[in-house]
Amino acid sequence: MVAGNWKMNGSIESIKILLDGIKQGLGEVNNAEIIVCPSSIYLGEVHSQIKDTVISLGAQNVSEHASGAFTGEISVKMLKDYNCKYSIIGHSERRTLYSETDQLIAKKFVTLCEAHTIPIFCIGELLDEREAGKTEDIVGRQIDAVLDLADIFAFKNSVIAYEPVWAIGTGKTATPDQAQEVHSFIRKKLSVLDADIGEQVQILYGGSMNASNVAQLLSMPDIDGGLIGGASLKSADFLAICAAANAAAE
Ligand code: 13P
């Protein structure tokens, strides 16, 4: 699985160019699921442009509420109007810049599951947390918040993205071994509660994944794909990542 998180980038014009490039180059990709997550204002536009392609649509966030007086928010029902199969939640930028808590993100997780929209649930540690040896405590705590509100079955068919915050947009990537260690921890944590769910949950790596490091990262046993920021904004780079994921899934 390769998901492009476009963050707050793009325009009607640039999105058309990007998608045309992706659509033209994606021909041979049939093993990996490809997802694009535009800014919410472009969901309708992208929805129309990827009709009749293998590309799936994801949002970058969702409200924990169903509807009502929540100015500026977007409900899961609205996402479903545009056939959003996925929504990112808990991105570190939402956690850090918009003070989203583990508990709020857990509510969003449950809201998505109840509406049969697949969460791409982002977790990850800050640099000082890694340096203090707290990586497993942090990602464990982030997962426990969901388990406190729901149960292990909420993770059935959901997607987890491990994104070490120090690797996001910095050009610094976790080494394949560093990433694998955390992915394996996450899978084992879920497997203790339900072996099947632990095995089938897709765990993506995010944090400066690009065309040159993707193959090595995806060669690790517990890395099932990538959540890509910067490199998802250029069709050639994104296609190279998709091709590598396709080859890894063969
Ligand atoms: P970069 O790929 O730009 O590091 O961003 C990763 C990310 O935040 C994806 O959600």
Side-chain angles (χ1 to χ4, degrees):
M1 177 179 283
V2 178
N5 175 8
W6 293 353
K7 307 193 180 182
M8 198 175 74
N9 292 296
S11 62
I12 296 263
E13 202 185 345
S14 72
I15 282 172
K16 174 143 187 4
I17 295 169
L18 176 57
L19 281 176
D20 283 349
I22 296 173
K23 286 192 280 188
Q24 274 161 26
L26 210 54
E28 304 297 306
V29 173
N30 43 25
N31 295 318
E33 174 145 22
I34 308 303
I35 307 161
V36 291
C37 305
S39 166
S40 57
I41 200 164
Y42 297 129
L43 285 170
E45 183 67 28
V46 174
H47 166 63
S48 314
Q49 290 188 36
I50 61 177
K51 255 187 205 156
D52 308 320
T53 74
V54 297
I55 305 168
S56 300
L57 187 59
Q60 294 180 14
N61 194 14
V62 69
S63 170
E64 72 279 22
H65 299 291
S67 66
F70 301 103
T71 302
E73 291 290 281
I74 293 170
S75 73
V76 67
K77 200 155 165 279
M78 295 168 185
L79 298 185
K80 290 184 86 74
D81 272 345
Y82 290 113
N83 234 356
C84 276
K85 185 171 171 190
Y86 298 92
S87 178
I88 296 171
I89 50 168
H91 194 279
S92 71
E93 287 146 20
R94 300 294 320 171
R95 293 177 187 266
T96 315
L97 303 172
Y98 299 96
S99 309
E100 292 197 7
T101 61
D102 291 342
Q103 287 66 33
L104 174 69
I105 295 157
K107 281 189 196 158
K108 294 182 180 205
F109 194 118
V110 171
T111 301
L112 288 171
C113 291
E114 285 173 354
H116 306 291
T117 302
I118 301 173
I120 300 178
F121 172 51
C122 300
I123 55 179
E125 81 288 359
L126 304 169
L127 184 59
D128 58 349
E129 292 166 338
R130 169 162 286 266
E131 285 172 353
K134 288 189 184 153
T135 299
E136 292 186 358
D137 292 347
I138 299 297
V139 299
R141 187 201 75 209
Q142 291 166 335
I143 293 172
D144 282 339
V146 175
L147 291 171
D148 286 348
L149 197 64
D151 57 24
I152 182 64
F153 297 104
F155 284 93
K156 195 168 192 255
N157 302 321
S158 67
V159 177
I160 297 177
Y162 168 58
E163 300 207 307
V165 180
W166 48 271
I168 296 178
T170 56
K172 264 190 220 162
T173 319
T175 64
D177 287 334
Q178 278 175 324
Q180 166 59 25
E181 202 179 356
V182 183
H183 282 233
S184 159
F185 167 77
I186 294 166
R187 199 178 299 287
K188 283 194 191 122
K189 180 171 172 70
L190 298 180
S191 294
V192 168
L193 300 170
D194 186 294
D196 289 343
I197 291 176
E199 177 145 335
Q200 62 93 56
V201 70
Q202 300 226 45
I203 311 178
L204 312 183
Y205 169 79
S208 300
M209 191 185 250
N210 58 39
S212 11
N213 59 30
V214 57
Q216 259 200 318
L217 285 159
L218 293 186
S219 71
M220 304 312 280
D222 291 303
I223 304 185
D224 303 315
L227 180 57
I228 323 294
S232 70
L233 296 170
K234 289 197 193 123
S235 56
D237 292 355
F238 190 63
L239 285 168
I241 295 170
C242 293
N246 198 59
E250 250 162 25

